[in-house]
Amino acid sequence: MPLTRSLSMTSLSGLPLWDEEDLPVDDLLLFEVAWEVTNKVGGIYTVIQTKAKITVDEWGENLFMMGPYYEHNFNTQVEQCEPPNPAIKKAMSALIDNGCLVYFGRWLIEGSPYVILFDTGSAAWNLDRWKGDLWDTCGIGLPAHDKEANDSLIFGSMVAWFFKELTGELGDSPNVIAHFHEWQVGAGLILCRSRKIPLATIFTTHATLLGRYICAGNVDFYNNLGKFNIDQEAGERQIYHRYCLERAAVHCAHVFTTVSQITAVEANHMLHRKPDVVTPNGLNIKKFSAMHEFQNLHSTNKGRIQEFIRGHFYGHLDFNLEKTLFFFIAGRYEFSNKGVDIFLESLSRLNYLLRVHKNDVTVVVFFIMPAKTNNFNVETLKGQAVRKQLWDTAHTVKDKFGKRLYEALLKGDIPDMNTILDRDDFTIMKRAIYATQRHTLPPVTTHNMLDDTSDPILANVRRIGLFNARTDRVKIVFHPEFLSSTSPLLPMDYEEFVRGCHLGVFPSYYEPWGYTPGECTVMGIPSVTTNLSGFGCFMEEHVSDPTAYGIYIVDRRFRSADDSCNQLTQFMFGFCQQSRRQRIIQRNRTERLSDLLDWRYLGRFYMHARSLALSRAFPDKFKMEPLAPPQTEGFRYPRPGSVPPSPSASVHSTPHHSDEEDDDEEPYDEDKEAERDRQNIKAPFTLGAMPEGKKTHPGESAN
């Protein structure tokens, strides 16, 4: 069924309506080229997939996504069909007739965009010739042993060939925009530009190749950006050819974009070009929206996590689950880049603070990071079995008790509670209690690790001594697999698990954007991020007091590691001090920030990049004032004026119980506060400047 282009897009509550797109999209074709189209490898897949719906709404039948062909992905994710555009069909035929297979269809995701997939295996016989072309064009040589780089050249050569055939068929109209994502598809952009193919090009780096490699080596990266010998660093890591592909693509593109301000600074030093536009990553908020039920979902899923805790800590369950907070960290297992090192050290300090204050708040911390394992831990499985046995025993006795009570009441008697249960019942209960005795501490990890002794998380757990002892107020559960609803241990999907937690902690050192805290935000779960992540920088720019809205931003750029660790500890300790009412209020505020992360808002940054690319590629047909600011307006949330989000402003020095309420709480009206935020959103300002005459809120600076 043909797709129609939306003339305007309805925003979420609070966001202003989109203006009609200035570009004549009916006379344009847009191609998004990425290695992760229909091919899930990392975070770029999420960007491409979630942005598809809003882009289809803009471009309708004139949007095409391009990626590599993998048989399994094609068979399970793509509905094959004929290209509706005759020029595209002829361009594909030119490749197919020469033995290079190309596939066309609809990607079965929201929006159902068209996809063009290139089979690099069928064209591999051209590799040596195409390597020569690349060397003659720009002096970049690819080693034979780097299969990923060789595949990227085959893919890029096929893409450039396709665009040459396509533009030859189209002539002067419609014009073509090609948006390339990451270095793996950079060869296609380089070849298109070197062959003077008439199309507007955009290149987006989601993280610089060299930056990720350098940060993985525990280097003080951001404070030494100007001191690196870039060529030497790339050569020592044997990625010089990849770095050259990335840098050449950046400089060949009409428009260069990146996903965050912090990555823009990095790209300026690593790739020697300042990004023209920053295009933040968004989410499809509809997917995560729970209408007004997110608080109820939190309570429901928290109960499911509590059930797991009852089994995992059987025999040591001497803490009150109603006064227990669940923290978590999740993502790729990059110990330093993801900030796991300072997180573990901060947990040790948090444990000390909670013990010193002698409170009954307990924190259970989950590490959801995939590592090499061979099976579930037997002790962990036993814990869930013991919990289920206790549950069955309790229900058996309850049924007997209920039946005897019912019969006694029918006779008009008040039963003797000492005799309503017989000796056998007490024997069953005693045996169940004895079964819960254990002579070991609850396990730190839920699986058998293949390399237990050298695993970074477990090594640091041993160093800080958090072994889930009875005296520890911070407990650790390392789950070295991604979550699944089919797991016999913790049968929950990731989204359900996040909704059941109280705080997500992501103190990353290298995080060009950071989808994990973004997903927490749209589900109404507070999170910790850093000013070295794109998400953290974005929130600092848009929210006057991020902490009030449940976004805790650790300073890892201008503070030492020890100071950052102390700041993270104070954030977590302050969170533990909140009353249950304060946490509910904070979750309401956090969920309201989801508008900021909607593609229906953030998509306008991509619109500006396309307009800029067209004005540079076809200056006679498309005009744009060279000094005009982007038509991308933002908004800024003021600091809420009601209940303090944390006890930092209160007189209490020790943590509240989670079910404790204070008589002297300031009044809080969710509807009034939400309406103030909506009104504030509707008065946008141009990013980077405060509107004329606007007064700053307390703690807000004009940036």
Side-chain angles (χ1 to χ4, degrees):
M1 179 180 177
L3 300 176
T4 57
R5 182 175 67 87
S6 301
L7 295 179
S8 63
M9 302 178 196
T10 304
S11 69
L12 295 182
S13 60
L15 283 176
L17 292 177
W18 288 76
D19 296 327
E20 278 196 35
E21 175 57 51
D22 294 329
L23 291 177
V25 297
D26 292 330
D27 297 322
L28 295 169
L29 295 179
L30 172 63
F31 293 84
E32 292 226 28
V33 190
W35 196 258
E36 299 197 27
V37 169
T38 75
N39 177 37
K40 188 171 184 178
V41 178
I44 301 171
Y45 178 89
T46 305
V47 177
I48 300 295
Q49 183 194 41
T50 57
K51 187 166 63 67
K53 175 64 167 65
I54 198 70
T55 314
V56 168
D57 286 344
E58 275 184 72
W59 291 79
E61 299 281 286
N62 292 348
L63 167 69
F64 304 88
M65 295 185 174
M66 306 171 78
Y69 169 82
Y70 291 99
E71 184 178 6
H72 175 73
N73 294 341
F74 185 79
N75 291 337
T76 57
Q77 299 184 46
V78 179
E79 179 186 12
Q80 191 167 8
C81 62
E82 287 295 315
N85 189 309
I88 290 179
K89 189 171 184 178
K90 287 184 179 180
M92 289 175 56
S93 297
L95 274 72
I96 294 171
D97 292 345
N98 284 277
C100 301
L101 300 182
V102 187
Y103 298 83
F104 189 91
R106 284 196 185 276
W107 191 3
L108 300 179
I109 59 174
E110 192 172 5
S112 300
Y114 287 128
V115 291
I116 304 171
L117 304 178
F118 298 86
D119 186 351
T120 56
S122 68
W125 55 277
N126 292 291
L127 178 60
D128 289 339
R129 177 166 60 88
W130 286 341
K131 278 187 176 183
D133 290 344
L134 184 68
W135 177 261
D136 294 338
T137 299
C138 53
I140 299 175
L142 303 183
H145 63 79
D146 191 342
K147 184 179 185 303
E148 187 176 6
N150 290 326
D151 285 347
S152 73
L153 175 59
I154 298 171
F155 177 78
S157 299
M158 294 177 76
V159 167
W161 185 0
F162 172 86
F163 278 132
K164 182 174 176 57
E165 298 288 342
L166 176 67
T167 53
E169 288 289 335
L170 293 174
D172 293 334
S173 181
N175 293 118
V176 176
I177 306 172
H179 190 154
F180 296 81
H181 295 263
E182 280 299 297
W183 74 271
Q184 291 98 327
V185 298
L189 191 155
I190 297 166
L191 294 171
C192 284
R193 294 286 281 147
S194 66
R195 295 168 185 173
K196 296 182 170 54
I197 299 174
L199 62 146
T201 57
I202 305 169
F203 183 80
T204 296
T205 181
H206 296 258
T208 70
L209 185 68
L210 189 54
R212 189 178 293 279
Y213 271 84
I214 292 175
C215 286
N218 293 324
V219 175
D220 186 5
F221 180 65
Y222 291 98
N223 290 322
N224 293 283
L225 274 174
K227 301 176 183 178
F228 290 112
N229 183 327
I230 305 301
D231 293 332
Q232 180 182 341
E233 295 287 347
E236 288 176 351
R237 290 164 175 79
Q238 300 184 17
I239 56 167
Y240 187 68
H241 55 288
R242 296 187 181 193
Y243 166 72
C244 289
L245 282 175
E246 180 181 41
R247 183 168 168 180
V250 166
H251 286 269
C252 286
H254 290 105
V255 171
F256 172 43
T257 79
T258 189
V259 297
S260 64
Q261 294 291 351
I262 191 68
T263 312
V265 173
E266 173 190 341
N268 194 25
H269 286 85
M270 295 286 109
L271 301 171
H272 299 290
R273 180 175 176 181
K274 183 178 179 181
D276 301 292
V277 185
V278 172
T279 52
N281 290 336
L283 284 165
N284 184 349
I285 301 304
K286 180 181 177 182
K287 176 182 177 183
F288 293 98
S289 165
M291 303 302 288
H292 301 293
E293 293 295 319
F294 76 96
Q295 294 282 10
N296 294 337
L297 287 172
H298 167 72
S299 179
T300 301
N301 289 300
K302 181 180 70 173
R304 295 172 66 184
I305 297 175
Q306 288 174 338
E307 281 300 296
F308 167 79
I309 294 299
R310 289 186 176 99
H312 191 79
F313 289 90
Y314 83 92
H316 288 259
L317 201 64
D318 52 358
F319 51 92
N320 187 344
L321 281 176
E322 293 304 317
K323 298 174 183 177
T324 298
L325 303 179
F326 300 135
F327 295 179
F328 81 99
I329 184 172
R332 288 190 305 272
Y333 196 165
E334 296 179 5
F335 188 72
S336 298
N337 282 358
K338 295 297 182 184
V340 183
D341 46 359
I342 77 159
F343 185 31
L344 281 165
E345 179 60 33
S346 298
L347 290 176
S348 175
R349 300 179 187 187
L350 175 65
N351 185 52
Y352 172 78
L353 288 176
L354 293 175
R355 290 173 64 180
V356 164
H357 283 277
K358 296 183 178 176
N359 63 82
D360 51 5
V361 173
T362 302
V363 176
V364 177
V365 184
F366 291 87
F367 290 78
I368 312 295
M369 291 184 157
K372 293 181 179 179
T373 65
N374 59 18
N375 213 329
F376 292 111
N377 186 310
V378 173
E379 188 66 21
T380 305
L381 289 173
K382 179 183 175 183
Q384 299 307 314
V386 168
R387 176 193 62 79
K388 188 176 185 305
Q389 182 184 20
L390 277 173
W391 177 261
D392 293 341
T393 300
H395 274 262
T396 300
V397 174
K398 182 192 76 171
D399 291 342
K400 286 185 179 180
F401 180 92
K403 183 178 180 181
R404 291 168 186 167
L405 177 62
Y406 172 66
E407 290 174 349
L409 293 177
L410 281 176
K411 296 176 182 177
D413 297 333
I414 300 296
D416 184 354
M417 293 297 127
N418 294 321
T419 61
I420 199 168
L421 293 178
D422 57 30
R423 180 175 295 180
D424 289 342
D425 297 326
F426 283 103
T427 300
I428 292 173
M429 289 189 288
K430 287 178 181 179
R431 287 181 61 183
I433 292 172
Y434 290 155
T436 64
Q437 295 179 358
R438 78 193 312 175
H439 304 292
T440 59
L441 294 173
V444 168
T445 179
T446 58
H447 291 61
N448 294 322
M449 304 291 291
L450 287 182
D451 197 3
D452 183 286
T453 55
S454 61
D455 181 80
I457 289 179
L458 295 182
N460 277 270
V461 167
R462 296 184 190 102
R463 178 183 63 82
I464 61 180
L466 285 180
F467 298 120
N468 296 335
R470 292 182 185 274
T471 55
D472 289 331
R473 298 272 52 84
V474 174
K475 318 283 187 181
I476 289 179
V477 178
F478 179 22
H479 189 282
E481 278 187 1
F482 286 131
L483 297 170
S484 170
S485 59
T486 60
S487 169
L489 200 61
L490 185 56
M492 300 179 74
D493 287 330
Y494 178 71
E495 180 181 339
E496 296 171 331
F497 175 79
V498 171
R499 288 191 183 277
C501 289
H502 296 90
L503 183 70
V505 186
F506 314 102
S508 303
Y509 184 79
Y510 187 80
E511 192 73 79
W513 178 249
Y515 262 119
T516 40
E519 289 166 343
C520 286
T521 300
V522 301
M523 288 187 269
I525 302 301
S527 62
V528 176
T529 182
T530 73
N531 61 353
L532 290 181
S533 74
F535 175 83
C537 294
F538 182 79
M539 283 300 173
E540 280 187 320
E541 185 175 18
H542 282 75
V543 183
S544 179
D545 184 3
T547 302
Y549 284 90
I551 308 294
Y552 299 89
I553 302 175
V554 176
D555 184 358
R556 295 205 64 182
R557 188 174 185 186
F558 303 110
R559 294 192 182 197
S560 67
D562 187 62
D563 288 343
S564 298
C565 198
N566 285 331
Q567 186 183 22
L568 176 56
T569 304
Q570 288 303 318
F571 281 153
M572 294 190 294
F573 183 60
F575 189 86
C576 293
Q577 288 179 288
Q578 290 183 353
S579 66
R580 185 167 181 260
R581 180 173 184 264
Q582 287 173 323
R583 291 199 302 273
I584 291 172
I585 292 170
Q586 191 178 59
R587 283 197 295 273
N588 287 335
R589 292 174 182 162
T590 302
E591 196 271 342
R592 286 206 302 274
L593 292 183
S594 60
D595 278 3
L596 275 172
L597 302 175
D598 196 328
W599 276 121
R600 284 180 279 187
Y601 166 62
L602 297 177
R604 62 187 75 181
F605 294 92
Y606 280 83
M607 289 181 176
H608 175 66
R610 294 170 198 140
S611 299
L612 188 59
L614 284 169
S615 69
R616 292 177 177 177
F618 309 106
D620 296 335
K621 294 180 66 174
F622 300 93
K623 303 291 184 182
M624 176 178 281
E625 292 295 328
L627 299 179
Q631 296 301 311
T632 49
E633 293 183 323
F635 45 82
R636 192 173 177 86
Y637 281 76
R639 187 183 190 281
S642 57
V643 178
S646 69
S648 57
S650 70
V651 297
H652 300 286
S653 60
T654 56
H656 293 296
H657 297 166
S658 61
D659 57 353
E660 182 178 327
E661 298 290 348
D662 295 326
D663 296 332
D664 58 349
E665 291 275 17
E666 295 182 42
Y668 168 74
D669 190 316
E670 165 65 19
D671 293 334
K672 286 183 179 179
E673 191 173 285
E675 180 59 29
R676 279 198 298 271
D677 279 347
R678 282 193 290 269
Q679 293 301 321
N680 188 69
I681 293 170
K682 290 176 181 176
F685 72 100
T686 301
L687 291 179
M690 293 290 290
E692 185 177 351
K694 180 182 176 183
K695 296 180 180 179
T696 58
H697 297 275
E700 177 180 345
S701 60
N703 60 342

